[in-house]
Amino acid sequence: MSFTGRRLVIASAAPGSPDGLPGRRRGVRREVQLMTDRRLWSYKEIAAHIKVQPDTVRSYRKHGLLPAPDHVEGGKPYWYADTVRAWVASRPGNRGRRPD
């Protein structure tokens, strides 16, 4: 396993090996995107990212459509940018929107 920039490269071992990766061929490599954007976003930043009004994002949270906040400070919820991006990518109605 090695870290290269924002991606983690995993080289799997032979089938049945003690590393717990049965069924993988020796030398197979795959990359996994790491969550590294630790900026905290408020309703305002989330709204700008998905091009809606902040009240719409508040409504999403009220109706359980937004993930739980990653941080709460002074009673105000905040989410990591990567949390929001993952939510946007998996939410219903996401038809291949272009990332900002």
Side-chain angles (χ1 to χ4, degrees):
M1 201 179 323
S2 64
F3 180 70
T4 58
R6 296 183 75 178
R7 294 189 180 274
L8 178 68
V9 178
I10 301 171
S12 60
S17 67
D19 70 354
L21 295 172
R24 296 203 185 271
R25 295 177 305 176
R26 181 175 200 117
V28 172
R29 292 171 51 108
R30 58 189 174 111
E31 293 186 9
V32 180
Q33 183 70 37
L34 295 177
M35 292 182 63
T36 57
D37 193 344
R38 306 299 280 178
R39 291 177 292 164
L40 289 169
W41 286 5
S42 67
Y43 289 121
K44 183 178 176 181
E45 286 84 16
I46 295 170
H49 181 70
I50 62 174
K51 298 175 177 61
V52 299
Q53 295 297 313
D55 283 342
T56 302
V57 180
R58 286 185 187 89
S59 177
Y60 288 167
R61 182 172 182 220
K62 177 182 173 183
H63 291 93
L65 302 173
L66 197 61
D70 293 307
H71 184 72
V72 177
E73 187 174 310
K76 295 181 181 181
Y78 296 92
W79 293 261
Y80 290 121
D82 282 337
T83 300
V84 175
R85 288 187 185 107
W87 168 72
V88 168
S90 68
R91 68 190 261 240
N94 180 27
R95 294 182 285 276
R97 292 185 181 124
R98 294 167 63 184
D100 288 343

